[in-house]
DNA sequence: TTGTATGCGTTATCAG
DNA sequence: CTGATAACGCATACAA
């Protein structure tokens, strides 16, 4: 059932039918009634594809996240979906699996679908040519959870640097001198590689905050307290063994995300380490699991639903023609204290 | 940059350019080279919208889940995305929030986008007119996690009925006579309402399995052991209080999903109930949190990534013209024993 | 207020 | 092998 069918059925021209069906332009009451009646009777359903072709606007926004399966992103996606729908936009979701090549592929696919705008959690802050190209071709882009100095566009991120510093200071105030930061970021050596820049800006910001607060407290060689490659149970087990065998003793742990946190917790528990007596632990992201452990885990709350919401708001503003300078939104990510921070053991 | 632009730049006709760019029809080596060169030079990007308009095929599939934020669905969505992408299809994701009206709206929106097919987790097995309409208009539909006897189409579900029976029997074998089933399903009375049919088929199947295994073991009035409305912390607290005050004592709990399970666990722990000494607990879905508790929780594993994968496979088969009878795929959902099932206390 | 004619970027048909 | 040309379903400038 097309506009043409309705038009003939209602004895009006295609243009008139299109006007009332599309809700634009003028039409007499009689014409409107006839068209609506015919549309209803014949079960007319507008073809948004054709509409988009005609208008050039698509009503679709594309989202590329690292992994929808991760609660961090799935909550953000919910925020994006809800906000977008409320504005009459639909959402196409893609995973990059945190791989640059896949991210590029997804962006390209979305651009071919002529999405009105893009929300992306870029895998590598240094490799954003594809996003720049989208921007150049007039498609607004807002980056989520991450930003790139090389990309002049809106971003919505957590306040990672300040939070990392604050959390470390909280631990230091409890007497912890040696605190490790454990991250899923990969590196050749398993430690921080000063030569290799960190691609994911959120990761870099947290490590910077961690290092600067370490330096401010005169911690010796804080880079050696950053443990990378925490990608699976086996690697985390290795890291935990390394951490537990250090002298002077490491008494506090920061987990870069909730998956790393959960694995750290399990590895520690399996080795008979009691929290917070023997070890203090703080994990990024307020995941479900952090509230059922004994003790419950102190976490950095990342309101990613809000991240998503804000990202869509920025996108819509740009879609409406806002040409003001790119905004770097920094969302506060407060520490929620539960039971996994204790005084440093003697 | 359109086909026409490339054509003029390459000094061939629009038709020839379209043929090589679209990868169909014949073209001489010379023409092909010229077109490809021009396309590369001018940065041609095909317009999938126009392509879809022309061909009638859209390369998009629509997905409507209850809540993407729920790990159960987000894992399924990952399975759907991965499988779809591997087949060159893109995915539009929508949430119904388990509300019929929203589900209808989403389906309608997706249909207007002319999706090639639909994967839906229907909120109400009795209200599937909108899905039937999609089917009638030639858009294949496969239902996920749920099925409807009223809808003759493919479905991919867990083996809920048999699993519920098996889990209860496992508990009975450990000596548990009175086991409660706790579900987020809403009902007026807080108990099973014999008059009101259960909309979500997965929920119904589990309760049926629970009741039949109860009856087979001569449990008196098993319907009274089904507790509904477990929708938030407050209601779960109330349910737990009710359960703990029953005589004869209830010694085992089945949680309908991982959210209910987590909340039950917290409420039990808060009341000093020790698992599995005082109470045994089994939760549906192998969520992250079930492996960090003490004891770790025995769960019904629902391989929802696989659910998603299978659903896409069915959809693609239909898209390719498979007109065989609707298939009701039942995926095994085995019990993973960890530490939360113990012998029934005396 | 209504209708005619044209365009959006493809695919696809059918002569040449 | 190639090139006009007509769809696809809608929006829209312009004319009536």
């Amino acid at each position: 059932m097309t506009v043409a069918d309705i038009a003939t059925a209602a004895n009006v021209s295609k243009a008139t039918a299109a006007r009332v069906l599309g809700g634009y332009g003028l039409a007499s009451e009689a014409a409107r009634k006839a068209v609506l009646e015919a549309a209803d009777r014949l079960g007319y359903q507008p073809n948004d594809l054709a509409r988009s072709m005609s208008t050039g606007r698509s009503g679709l926004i594309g989202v590329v996240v690292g992994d929808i399966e991760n609660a961090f992103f799935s909550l953000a996606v919910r925020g994006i979906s809800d906000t977008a729908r409320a504005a009459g936009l639909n959402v196409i979701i893609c995973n990059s699996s945190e791989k640059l090549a896949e991210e590029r592929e997804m962006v390209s696919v979305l651009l071919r679908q002529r999405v009105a705008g893009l929300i992306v959690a870029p895998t590598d802050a240094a490799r954003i040519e594809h996003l720049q190209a989208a921007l150049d071709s007039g498609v607004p882009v807002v980056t989520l959870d991450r930003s790139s100095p090389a990309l002049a566009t809106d971003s919505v991120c957590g306040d990672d640097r300040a939070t990392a510093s604050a959390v470390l200071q909280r631990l230091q105030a409890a007497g912890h001198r040696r605190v490790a930061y454990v991250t899923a970021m990969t590196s050749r050596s398993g430690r921080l590689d000063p030569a290799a820049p960190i691609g994911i800006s959120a990761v870099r910001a947290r490590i910077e905050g961690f290092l600067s607060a370490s330096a401010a407290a005169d911690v010796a060689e804080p880079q050696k307290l950053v443990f990378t490659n925490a990608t699976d149970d086996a690697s985390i087990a290795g890291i935990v063994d390394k951490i537990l065998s250090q002298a002077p003793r490491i008494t506090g742990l920061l987990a870069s995300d909730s998956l790393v946190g959960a694995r750290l917790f399990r590895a520690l528990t399996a080795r008979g380490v009691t929290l917070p007596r023997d070890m203090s632990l703080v994990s990024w992201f307020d995941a479900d699991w952090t509230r059922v452990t004994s003790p419950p885990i102190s976490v950095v709350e990342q309101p990613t639903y809000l991240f998503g919401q804000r990202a869509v708001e920025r996108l819509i503003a740009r879609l409406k023609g806002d040409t003001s300078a790119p905004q770097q939104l920094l969302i506060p990510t407060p520490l929620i204290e539960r039971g996994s921070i204790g005084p440093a053991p003697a």
Side-chain angles (χ1 to χ4, degrees), chain A:
Chain A
M1 285 305 120
T2 76
V3 176
D5 298 319
I6 305 305
T8 42
N11 267 317
V12 297
S13 76
K14 235 174 50 165
T16 302
R19 278 191 279 259
V20 2
L21 258 14
Y24 60 94
L26 299 308
S28 69
E29 205 37 58
R32 161 165 284 105
K33 253 193 75 175
V35 170
L36 258 20
E37 186 276 331
D40 190 63
R41 186 161 48 82
L42 302 183
Y44 169 74
Q45 271 204 331
N47 183 331
D48 281 348
L49 249 60
R51 188 166 287 179
S52 298
M53 277 252 29
S54 246
T55 58
R57 293 179 291 275
S58 89
L60 243 46
I61 69 179
V63 177
V64 185
V65 294
D67 179 12
I68 184 78
E69 193 184 329
N70 186 325
F72 176 92
F73 283 124
S74 69
L75 186 56
V77 163
R78 183 65 141 109
I80 292 173
S81 304
D82 289 355
T83 315
R85 275 243 40 79
L89 296 167
N90 279 93
V91 175
I92 305 188
I93 314 236
C94 304
N95 288 290
S96 69
S97 303
E98 300 294 5
K99 298 207 184 77
L100 180 62
E102 292 192 40
E103 176 183 314
R104 283 218 170 98
E105 164 72 5
M106 293 307 136
V107 166
S108 156
V109 164
L110 292 169
L111 254 20
R112 291 209 297 260
Q113 296 283 348
R114 294 298 186 262
V115 292
L118 241 26
I119 296 178
V120 182
T123 293
D124 191 336
R127 314 292 300 281
I128 40 67
E129 308 83 6
H130 51 304
L131 301 179
Q132 186 61 56
L135 239 26
D136 293 342
S137 73
V139 176
V141 176
V142 6
T143 63
L144 184 79
D145 178 50
R146 301 158 194 185
S147 66
S148 167
L151 192 69
T153 197
D154 298 329
S155 68
V156 180
C157 300
D159 193 5
D160 293 302
R161 196 180 202 286
T163 301
S165 285
V167 170
L168 186 51
Q169 283 161 9
R170 164 70 180 82
L171 251 18
Q172 288 166 344
H176 296 271
R177 292 294 302 161
R178 288 173 56 77
V179 174
Y181 184 87
V182 185
T183 172
M185 182 189 94
T186 53
S187 79
R188 292 195 60 98
S189 61
R191 295 297 170 84
L192 225 43
D193 185 344
I198 300 172
I200 297 180
S201 64
V203 175
R204 188 183 46 240
R206 284 178 215 164
I207 293 181
E208 284 172 1
F210 173 81
L211 292 179
S212 78
S214 297
D218 291 319
V219 175
E221 301 193 290
Q223 331 75 271
K224 293 207 170 165
L225 291 168
V226 176
F227 293 81
T228 60
N229 297 340
T231 49
D232 55 28
D233 280 321
S235 56
I236 296 236
I239 289 171
V240 166
D241 286 335
K242 217 176 290 177
I243 285 173
L244 293 179
S245 65
Q246 291 248 335
R249 191 168 154 192
I250 290 177
T251 61
L253 259 34
L254 264 42
S256 65
D257 65 59
S258 70
L259 197 48
V260 169
R263 285 172 165 155
L264 275 179
F265 179 86
R266 288 213 307 276
L268 290 168
T269 304
R271 283 159 183 73
V273 176
T274 299
L275 270 55
R277 192 194 63 194
D278 308 324
M279 182 73 78
S280 288
L281 173 65
V282 175
S283 176
W284 254 261
F285 195 66
D286 184 13
D288 284 346
W289 71 266
T290 61
R291 311 211 300 156
V292 294
T293 53
S294 319
I297 309 299
S298 300
V299 296
V300 172
E301 186 194 9
Q302 298 176 287
T304 59
Y305 186 95
L306 182 64
F307 286 23
Q309 213 168 310
R310 290 276 178 275
V312 172
E313 286 166 8
R314 284 315 307 150
L315 202 53
I316 291 178
R318 296 302 179 187
L319 255 17
K320 283 189 177 158
D322 176 357
T323 55
S324 58
Q327 291 185 17
Q328 314 300 326
L329 254 60
L330 237 48
I331 311 257
T333 53
L335 174 65
I336 301 181
E337 299 237 12
R338 300 219 255 251
S340 64
I341 302 181

